[in-house]
Amino acid sequence: MRQAIAVLVMAAACSAGLDSNVRPDGNQASDGASADSGSGGCAVSYDPIDPVASPTLPIRAYTSVANPNGLVTFAWSVTFNGNAVPYTEQAADGSQIGFIAANPGFYTVYVTITNSFECPSASAVINVAAPGANTDVFRLRTVPPPSLAPPQETFVQVKGGANANRDITLETGIPVTGLVKNSATMAGVTAYLKFMPRTMPTAFSELFSSASGAYSLHLLTLDHDVLVIPTVAGLAPKLVTWTAVPTTPQLFVGPGTVVNGTVRGPGGAGFAGAKVQLYAGGVPSTLGTTAADGSYSVRTDFPTSATQVTVKVTPPAASGLPRLEATSNYNLAGAININYAASLTTCDLANTPVRRGGTAQPNAQVSIVGSLAVVAGTINGVNATNTVRVSATANGSGQLPTMLVPRGTLSAVTELSMTDHAVSAVNTSTCSVAQIDAPAMTAINGTTKKPDMTAIGGIRVEAEPIGNLALAGVAAVQVTSNASGAFSLPLAGGGRYNVRFFDPQQHVAPLVTNDVAPAGVPTNALLAQALSLSGKVMVGSSNVPAGTSVQILCATCSGLEQSRPITETATNNVSRYAIAVPDPGTM
Amino acid sequence: MSRFALIGLAVVAGCFYTDVVNQRPSLDIHRRNEGPYFRGDMTKQIELSAVSSDPEGHNVTFHWRAYACTRQNACDRAPYFELSEPFVDIDVPPARFDVADPLLGVLVRLEGKDDFGAVARPVQELWIDVDNFAPQLKLEAYSEFGFVVTAPVEVYLEVSDADDGPEAPQVTWKVYSPSNQPDYDFVDYPAAPGPTGTKAYGKLLTPRGVGKYMVEASATDSIAPLPSVKSVDVTVIDDKPPCLRTLSPLVAIAPAALPITDPTLFQVHVVADDLDPYPAVNDGLRGTTKFTWSLLAPGGSRQVLTGVTGNRVSVNPASYQPGDVLELRVEIADRTNTAITCADASATCSVIADNSCLQRQTWRVEVR
């Protein structure tokens, strides 16, 4: 997929005769490599189109003047990093120059033209790539004030070894108003609405419709898929198509299809309080809760193209049963029954002591989490995966209350405080758990370093729990290295983490280490060279206000990483931004 | 009567002969333009013309001399200007040539004689006062931080002096602090060069208290009786509280709750603040926002996520029961650490009672 995006970007860039920064909708975002308009609607053009730094091969910049008022003269300047770059005139009339761009980066070419009413001046910012530059593709997300324009994303191709200028021109979009209605009664419906541009669903806009069903927001003039989740009972969530031309005025949701079934425990009897929800095509059903006999019903209105349906069952926490999930080509016209395996048994951890180093831990919160190695149940005959998550809080003596858990090899996540967690193995197979052990936290001490191997301070270190810790709801641990680059990261000994080092000051590129135990956290955290993308952010022809968010995100990630900026910044009071991105390097 | 007629009359009379006396012409100086004239002013000259009157109507030639003077009796020995024309345009130099004194006047002398050598008497003299250009000042105060207490204010002064040059004036500074006399620092600061013909000075004012400061710059060229003075007011205000600007995902207002089905990052992307914004600004002076996150889950009390100090936190719906409604709260502070005193039940809070500048925001989240 990543390659496909890169190809898409490059192909579009080539067809436009420009560098990257191509909107997925095919529109061309303003790019510093392109010829920029001057004050009179004229431009400086240049070739080669994709210049590469060279000590010998010149870059030619040129302009032309229509309807001169007399003898036209041209006064050129070329600057790089604020320093003048020598140039030679390449045309007798002075309309062309050549200059050597020996170093990669962006060069500013400016020309003042006399006797040209239409074109008194023009300029171009020319991005000059490093020889043999590697490339990487990122998502560039810009979030202006909602009243000004909707959030927008574009893929950007970053070439290694050179800072680049990239102006961002946002579409104003169109103000949109509409109504969410119950298709059966035509009454207005309060609903959560997620407008996702079809060509870039991650650049979505969210809002709630009012009690009358009314909504208003700014949207790009693109077709959108709208996830509508009514907040009122009796209506099924639905994915609705919204078109820009003509503008869809109303979004209809209805009762959908009722799906029934029964959730039965290991003994074969239905039980109350289990939550059942179905998903297909990115659309959830309503949330069903089983009655005393285990019966439930949910409403669905899935896209017709979605054939695979995921069913999730969450039993009451006190049942000690695991959660079940299965995906299959379920027939929604018939019942969907969930049956826990008859072999599934639970045991009670009541009075089990929670200790650290032999010391009882009063009021410790313990979550038994994990996944049973056996098939814990079926959903309409399809074997379901299972997830165990049962929590309880120890009493003042450090002993657990009644706490039913399934039998099997699981993990205990113990929370002694918001910053003190422990992970330990728990085998409940024989219901003979002697204690919940809460090993001490592990402090990972290290140093954050720059590419030249010297220390750099002020680096944020963020350890995001994954696996069992995440299942237990443990929050991330975030610390900042001191002025000497030293950091101390307290982690749960048996836990696993995604660890990110990033520089809020944007001097160096982030360092990410995924799915590591504490011992795997780099203690000599070497943050790589960063490149700077900078430019101006405009909405149409207007400057954006200070504080417009500019984010660089992974182009191909999913899940949490899809919404986690690699780096982010905001525009200043002259609508400019500068953001550090990882340097793809050169060959 | 013509000269020949007189001779003829004498011859005819036969009684005497006398040579005709050639009378002196008389001179006058007319000013073709009016003052004031300024030292070294290349844009305005002294424009004069000579007027003669010769009793015999002879042609008169003129000779002008102009002397650079400090006073009428203190002039250069040699003229700096000489010309033999009826009309002259005389430059005004900035200083005398014999001595290093400034020029304060020009003495113009006009001599003339007719074709027969009769020299006009008296020599015409005209004293012209010359004014002094006082130093010109341009004073500005600038701060990226909006004149916030403890944040430095850059003060720029551009000095020009048309006759003495920009280097000549002596510059002095004064700072008038607010009436409660808060401390401040006022130190030299490198100033970017000004336009040609000016000299730039820089100062850095770091106010330690709020109120109206006045920075005054004086420049004297030692000629003008009074120095040139400019002042600029710097009204220093308290450090304003930070304001939450861009958040994701959507903040739902009760009774609505944002449905989440997958692990979700709750993020503050932008905080506006004069000194401690987020994202941080790499300028060595500004800091960044402090974030405090807390979570209220069903059946529990609000718990501060003490390990989370950054701008984002993830919530995994798998950690809760479907249908649970959580409240995830973020509160922000800048270096002043203004306490957020709103009731815990308030989803939002502004310490300045301004709903456009919130320091607390609460996501209501429904686990699906």
Side-chain angles (χ1 to χ4, degrees):
Chain A
M1 179 61 186
R2 183 176 188 167
Q3 288 170 332
I5 290 171
V7 168
L8 167 71
V9 170
M10 286 187 283
C14 289
S15 65
L18 297 167
D19 197 355
S20 53
N21 206 8
V22 177
R23 303 180 60 85
D25 55 17
N27 291 336
Q28 186 73 47
S30 172
D31 190 306
S34 65
D36 295 337
S37 292
S39 54
C42 49
V44 170
S45 304
Y46 55 91
D47 63 54
I49 291 167
D50 262 334
V52 176
S54 165
T56 54
L57 297 175
I59 296 171
R60 186 175 68 102
Y62 53 97
T63 188
S64 60
V65 174
N67 305 318
N69 302 325
L71 178 64
V72 176
T73 61
F74 301 84
W76 292 87
S77 72
V78 182
T79 55
F80 177 68
N81 287 342
N83 299 314
V85 175
Y87 62 86
T88 56
E89 289 195 352
Q90 302 288 307
D93 65 355
S95 62
Q96 298 182 22
I97 60 166
F99 64 93
I100 296 293
N103 297 304
F106 56 89
Y107 290 69
T108 303
V109 178
Y110 188 84
V111 62
T112 307
I113 306 168
T114 59
N115 291 324
S116 173
F117 178 74
E118 294 179 5
C119 183
S121 65
S123 65
V125 180
I126 303 175
N127 288 323
V128 176
N134 296 321
T135 59
D136 206 349
V137 176
F138 299 94
R139 280 162 47 221
L140 176 66
R141 178 176 172 84
T142 313
V143 186
S147 59
L148 206 59
Q152 291 169 52
E153 290 190 5
T154 182
F155 290 115
V156 291
Q157 187 187 61
V158 175
K159 295 180 178 176
N163 296 332
N165 179 84
R166 288 185 191 281
D167 293 340
I168 302 170
T169 303
L170 303 174
E171 286 186 30
T172 53
I174 50 174
V176 171
T177 59
L179 287 170
V180 182
K181 285 188 172 180
N182 182 334
S183 59
T185 65
M186 299 307 287
V189 174
T190 303
Y192 165 77
L193 306 174
K194 185 176 185 179
F195 286 80
M196 298 171 282
R198 286 190 162 172
T199 50
M200 189 62 116
T202 50
F204 57 80
S205 298
E206 304 170 286
L207 78 164
F208 280 88
S209 58
S210 69
S212 64
Y215 64 85
S216 69
L217 75 168
H218 259 78
L219 291 176
L220 296 175
T221 51
L222 302 169
D223 290 347
H224 288 64
D225 288 322
V226 189
L227 176 61
V228 184
I229 302 181
T231 61
V232 292
L235 295 172
K238 186 177 183 182
L239 198 64
V240 181
T241 296
W242 181 91
T243 60
V245 182
T247 304
T248 304
Q250 295 175 336
L251 305 173
F252 290 101
V253 288
T257 302
V258 176
V259 177
N260 296 303
T262 303
V263 180
R264 294 183 177 87
F271 60 93
K275 306 284 187 182
V276 181
Q277 193 163 26
L278 280 55
Y279 303 85
V283 180
S285 69
T286 57
L287 183 63
T289 305
T290 56
D293 63 353
S295 64
Y296 73 91
S297 69
V298 295
R299 293 180 179 275
T300 66
D301 199 345
F302 297 147
T304 52
S305 59
T307 55
Q308 294 293 299
V309 178
T310 297
V311 180
K312 291 184 180 179
V313 182
T314 306
S319 70
L321 296 173
R323 302 177 184 200
L324 300 180
E325 177 177 335
T327 300
S328 185
N329 183 18
Y330 290 117
N331 176 14
L332 301 181
I336 296 181
N337 295 314
I338 296 97
N339 295 302
Y340 278 89
S343 58
L344 196 63
T345 53
T346 60
C347 66
D348 190 352
L349 298 182
N351 301 318
T352 302
V354 182
R355 297 192 182 110
R356 169 175 282 174
T359 303
Q361 299 295 319
N363 307 314
Q365 186 174 333
V366 174
S367 296
I368 304 297
V369 296
S371 182
L372 301 172
V374 298
V375 175
T378 60
I379 298 177
N380 261 17
V382 176
N383 289 345
T385 61
N386 70 83
T387 307
V388 176
R389 185 185 183 281
V390 183
S391 295
T393 302
N395 63 18
S397 303
Q399 293 179 315
L400 291 174
T402 289
M403 183 181 188
L404 289 179
V405 297
R407 297 192 184 208
T409 304
L410 299 166
S411 295
V413 175
T414 306
E415 180 177 294
L416 302 179
S417 75
M418 289 303 294
T419 55
D420 189 346
H421 297 88
V423 183
S424 58
V426 174
N427 191 337
T428 60
S429 302
T430 59
C431 270
S432 56
V433 178
Q435 66 170 6
I436 302 293
D437 182 36
M441 295 281 284
T442 300
I444 304 301
N445 298 309
T447 307
T448 51
K449 294 182 176 176
K450 294 184 284 190
D452 64 3
M453 298 298 289
T454 59
I456 180 173
I459 301 297
R460 283 265 306 280
V461 187
E462 184 177 289
E464 182 91 34
I466 60 172
N468 290 332
L469 278 174
L471 199 54
V474 174
V477 181
Q478 298 167 348
V479 298
T480 302
S481 64
N482 66 17
S484 304
F487 68 88
S488 183
L489 190 63
L491 300 178
R496 297 193 74 82
Y497 297 87
N498 292 337
V499 183
R500 293 171 200 82
F501 298 79
F502 62 96
D503 180 12
Q505 304 284 341
Q506 312 252 343
H507 293 113
V508 288
L511 169 67
V512 180
T513 309
N514 283 330
D515 193 7
V516 291
V521 174
T523 52
N524 278 303
L526 183 62
L527 283 81
Q529 184 74 34
L531 298 178
S532 173
L533 292 186
S534 59
K536 189 155 194 170
V537 184
M538 310 276 287
V539 174
S541 58
S542 304
N543 293 346
V544 296
T548 291
S549 176
V550 179
Q551 306 162 27
I552 291 286
L553 301 111
C554 168
T556 55
C557 295
S558 58
L560 275 182
E561 299 312 309
Q562 190 177 69
S563 60
R564 188 194 309 275
I566 297 170
T567 58
E568 62 185 328
T569 187
T571 54
N572 63 14
N573 54 10
V574 289
S575 303
R576 294 194 64 84
Y577 78 98
I579 195 166
V581 296
D583 185 352
T586 56
M587 287 182 280
Chain B
M1 184 181 291
S2 78
R3 189 174 183 185
F4 296 107
L6 283 173
I7 294 170
L9 177 64
V11 170
V12 171
C15 53
F16 67 92
Y17 169 80
T18 182
D19 198 7
V20 175
V21 175
N22 181 26
Q23 297 183 73
R24 296 176 187 277
S26 61
L27 301 178
D28 197 7
I29 299 174
H30 283 195
R31 299 174 72 145
R32 291 168 30 235
N33 68 352
E34 293 299 318
Y37 306 100
F38 288 93
R39 301 169 50 225
D41 185 355
M42 303 307 290
T43 64
K44 186 174 182 181
Q45 295 168 304
I46 301 167
E47 298 176 5
L48 303 173
S49 59
V51 177
S52 65
S53 173
D54 187 275
E56 294 88 6
H58 298 156
N59 183 49
V60 177
T61 57
F62 308 104
H63 192 74
W64 299 87
R65 289 183 178 85
Y67 297 83
C69 307
T70 312
R71 299 180 305 278
Q72 289 203 29
N73 57 357
C75 296
D76 287 344
R77 282 175 295 180
Y80 72 90
F81 175 90
E82 286 190 81
L83 194 66
S84 296
E85 294 286 345
F87 296 88
V88 290
D89 295 342
I90 303 171
D91 287 339
V92 181
R96 289 183 58 187
F97 298 91
D98 285 0
V99 294
D101 291 343
L103 180 138
L104 296 178
V106 172
L107 179 64
V108 178
R109 284 190 173 146
L110 174 65
E111 297 172 2
K113 58 183 177 184
D114 66 13
D115 290 343
F116 293 89
V119 176
R121 286 285 186 270
V123 172
Q124 291 297 305
E125 287 190 353
L126 177 65
W127 172 259
I128 296 174
D129 285 320
V130 173
D131 287 344
N132 173 56
F133 274 123
Q136 298 292 306
L137 308 181
K138 183 179 172 187
L139 185 64
E140 292 177 346
Y142 170 77
S143 173
E144 281 189 56
F145 318 107
F147 299 154
V148 174
V149 66
T150 75
V153 177
E154 297 168 17
V155 181
Y156 288 104
L157 174 67
E158 272 180 20
V159 177
S160 61
D161 191 312
D163 38 29
D164 297 305
E167 300 286 341
Q170 296 296 306
V171 174
T172 55
W173 296 86
K174 277 185 183 172
V175 176
Y176 299 93
S177 59
S179 54
N180 60 344
Q181 302 285 300
D183 286 341
Y184 62 86
D185 293 332
F186 193 66
V187 298
D188 286 339
Y189 184 71
T196 303
T198 67
K199 182 174 183 182
Y201 297 83
K203 287 283 188 179
L204 205 61
L205 170 69
T206 306
R208 308 286 178 205
V210 299
K212 187 174 176 181
Y213 293 69
M214 187 173 80
V215 179
E216 183 182 277
S218 304
T220 178
D221 59 4
S222 304
I223 300 168
L226 294 173
S228 301
V229 179
K230 282 276 184 183
S231 63
V232 62
D233 289 340
V234 176
T235 302
V236 176
I237 58 173
D238 276 323
D239 186 0
K240 288 175 287 195
C243 308
L244 289 162
R245 283 287 180 260
T246 307
L247 294 79
S248 69
L250 174 69
V251 175
I253 299 169
L258 177 73
I260 63 167
T261 56
D262 297 304
T264 303
L265 268 182
F266 292 80
Q267 308 183 74
V268 177
H269 296 290
V270 179
V271 173
D273 190 56
D274 27 32
L275 297 180
D276 299 299
Y278 183 86
V281 177
N282 181 18
D283 64 4
L285 175 78
R286 278 176 276 196
T288 195
T289 313
K290 284 174 264 191
F291 297 91
T292 303
W293 295 84
S294 59
L295 182 68
L296 176 61
S301 58
R302 192 177 303 281
Q303 286 196 302
V304 176
L305 306 178
T306 48
V308 182
T309 56
N311 68 309
R312 61 195 176 206
V313 66
S314 63
V315 171
N316 185 356
S319 304
Y320 304 92
Q321 294 290 109
D324 283 355
V325 174
L326 316 175
E327 284 189 10
L328 178 67
R329 174 168 293 175
V330 63
E331 294 180 335
I332 57 171
D334 62 9
R335 63 189 64 188
T336 62
N337 281 317
T338 304
I340 296 175
T341 55
C342 298
D344 184 72
S346 297
T348 61
C349 184
S350 170
V351 296
I352 53 173
D354 177 358
N355 282 337
S356 67
C357 179
L358 299 177
Q359 293 78 49
R360 172 195 289 175
Q361 187 56 275
T362 307
W363 282 273
R364 273 174 57 83
V365 179
E366 182 187 359
V367 174
R368 299 295 292 265

